[in-house]
Amino acid sequence: MSAHALYGYMKVRRQRKILRRKWYLFLFWVFLVWYADCLPKELFNDSTSTVLVDSNGNLLGAHIADDQQWRFPESKNVPYKFKTCIIQFEDRKFYQHWGVSARGVGRALWQNLTSGERVSGGSTLTMQLVRLMRKNPPRTYSEKLYEMILATRIEMRYSKSEILKIYVSHAPFGNNVVGLDAASWRFFGRPANQLSWAESATLAVLPNAPGLIYPGRNHDLLRDKRNRLLKRLRKIGKMSESEYRMALLERLPEKPHPLPNLAPHLLQKCIAEGKKGQVIRTNIRSKVQSKVNFLLDNHAQLLRENGIFNGAIMVTSVETGEVLAYVGNVVSSGKEHANQVNCIDASRSTGSIIKPLLYGKSLESGTIAPSMFLRDVPSRFGNFSPKNFAGTFEGLIPANEALSRSLNIPMVHLLQQYGLTKFHHNLQRMGFSTIRKSATHYGLSLILGGAEVNMFELNQVYTNMAQQLRFQQTSPLYLFPEMKEYKSEFPMSAGSIYATFEAMLDVRRPDEDNNWHMFDSSRKIAWKTGTSYGFRDAWAVGVTPDYVVSVWVGNADGEGRPGLTGVQAAAPILFDIFQTLPIKTQWFEKPESDLVEVDVCTVSGHRPTENCEKQTKAWWPKGSLQTTACPYHQRIHLNKNGQRVNSSCADPMDMTHANWMIVAPDVEEYYKKHHPLYLPLPPFLQHCEGANASNALSILYPDPGQKIYLPVGFNGEQQATVFRCSHSNNDAVLFWHLDGQFVQQTSEFHEIVIRPEIGKHQLTVYDTEGAKKSVWLEVVAARKEIN
């Protein structure tokens, strides 16, 4: 070969060598680029179970993942015992290698070649993580090489502790259980950080062959593998001899445990609110939740005999506003009884459960004082004629007793006095979002169950009342610890709240008499019940300085049942729950800055006049100072025969003077039945002025026997009419009744607007002196008006 040809050959050879180097360098850079981005941003995108835990991380319940695997979201840490076990069993050099163990791969290759079959994979934990990430592809040498490359990349991205956390969160444990957290609950019924050495070793050997062995399958093989691992732990000094011996004696689980199901309705609520697949930490206390579930289930067994299948309970902390127990329904009642319905969020008729709110606002506004008389006689409010539950009437009853006994008629009178529109606005300000319609839509029945509320908001209102009294500020109810806190004031004064709770103390407890408070062991609980029309809803709410407990019992489909009342169905559950709660504070401190000590007429509950002979001291909310002085005790004059006289018929020197309780004639009929010491007003001496008091009273309209034609409006509603009366005494107070039911009280201008039904009626008017006038009338429908 000539020198020129040799030079050309060498030149081409050099060029090719340079080209190969460039090509190799290019391939190397391509590999580096690929290697840098060979891992997905998230190693796993599998669906996860929705996990609900209490304030201490204890499992309340879980919902299986979309692929029907029990796969909890990734663990935040790996317990020491399990970490030790899994490393000693799977990868003893885990902290020394960079994803690939050359010794392990070489040993596996030698074993496979000498045996003629694949008997070992030589995979590190990191390489196993790659296989899990790639959904366990076929085992080939090329696949093994690919796993090695990805394993080294994982080691560069994550720390050893992060790799271990990811692995144990996605490792298969047999059956349909994935991840350590799910496995510890499914196989041992408790969290992984509470597992023993033997239990941790049992779980550590499962990912190696999850389809071959797991609790309930190949029991002996599983025990042998566990014991070999325990022996290894003893050998390297992780366990003492006594611990080792005790661990060998521990029994293996026979089958998976059912997961806790303490708050299924809260779990479903969280899923519906977009928290699916997350670990949801709540403020629930699992011990309180368990006790409440147990008590509700016990009572539900008795209630089912009466065809009552559903119930709900909430327990909240007054101090923190945290929800300690959330039971949305009776779990054991079966799907055929709508047990899946979350009755805490369901809107239900209030019954009498909001009467304390009206009582408190009436104290604050000066409409009433705590023990001031309210009328309790048959009454009519337009076409609305409420009845007391027992069907009896007191005539007059102290306001606090009307609340504690939950009498309907006095409370409707109170709502009329306080103002329907004002109270309707108060309820909305307090936080009842379900009261959306106008005040006129509900009418005076608002106080007797005409509106609907849900338990969560009801519990919040009573919790806010207790917070306002204890801390002078309120907070929302906190189901979750991450909720943002804010403080506000409840729209009711502390003094009015205190007086309301004091009245609620006197409610008669179920199956007890009113002497319960004489026993030192009895705790003070302000409580109230409610029963909706048709016996569809039974409510009970109890308040202490530490807790608020709300109970609802009924049927989710709205079916009413006899005996479904707050006292009989809900209150027993309420008091059983309070028996399980610790007593931290005996009772609320008296808010003396918002209370005033006053003299009170012992009988009427009003501020006394000089005619009130029996007086006592009482603490009133400041607003109650606006109430009137006692109108019932008046000074009268008597002759020696006990007849009433005045200067027109008797010498003042011959008169005796007495302070007498005078009530309206319509009230007296009922009042004297319950007060044997009550003395009716003596009659006037015949020829005295005022003896013929009935002549001073006259009904101007309608005339006796008159037919009144009332048109029916376009909306089908009967139009109203105006009845008129006159009295010779300009200061007279008149009491109007229609068909024996009290309608209205008038003074100065004696007119009432009324909408009587079609048919015959008797109108009766009384004055305070006992005068009475009655007329019969007939209401006839005229033709419909076209507006």
Side-chain angles (χ1 to χ4, degrees), residues 318 462 465-466 469-471 494-507 509 516-517 520 522-528 541-548 575 578 582-591 595:
V318 172
Y462 278 99
M465 290 176 70
L469 184 52
R470 278 196 68 183
F471 310 114
S496 299
I497 295 172
Y498 182 80
T500 301
F501 286 169
E502 286 285 304
M504 293 167 66
L505 282 174
D506 292 330
V507 179
R509 298 192 179 193
W516 67 266
H517 50 76
D520 293 336
S522 296
R523 68 195 301 174
K524 299 180 76 172
I525 302 171
W527 68 290
K528 184 71 185 74
V541 174
V543 182
T544 70
D546 302 311
Y547 306 102
V548 173
F575 285 103
F578 271 112
I583 300 176
K584 300 178 182 178
T585 309
Q586 290 295 332
W587 191 238
F588 296 96
E589 293 184 7
K590 186 182 295 182
L595 297 172

Side-chain angles (χ1 to χ4, degrees), residues 89 201 205-206 208-209 213 220-230:
F89 187 77
V205 303
L206 295 182
N208 185 257
I213 58 172
D220 293 338
L221 181 58
L222 175 59
R223 183 178 60 250
D224 291 342
K225 295 183 75 171
R226 180 201 71 175
N227 291 348
R228 286 199 301 270
L229 176 54
L230 291 173

Side-chain angles (χ1 to χ4, degrees), residues 644-663:
R644 273 194 297 167
V645 295
N646 52 41
S647 58
S648 70
C649 59
D651 189 330
M653 298 300 294
D654 295 331
M655 298 178 189
T656 58
H657 311 288
N659 295 321
W660 209 277
M661 181 176 176
I662 302 175
V663 299

Side-chain angles (χ1 to χ4, degrees), residues 765-779:
V765 183
Y766 300 87
D767 70 6
T768 54
E769 296 294 323
K772 169 185 172 182
K773 285 291 177 72
S774 296
V775 296
W776 281 93
L777 59 109
E778 182 178 1
V779 176

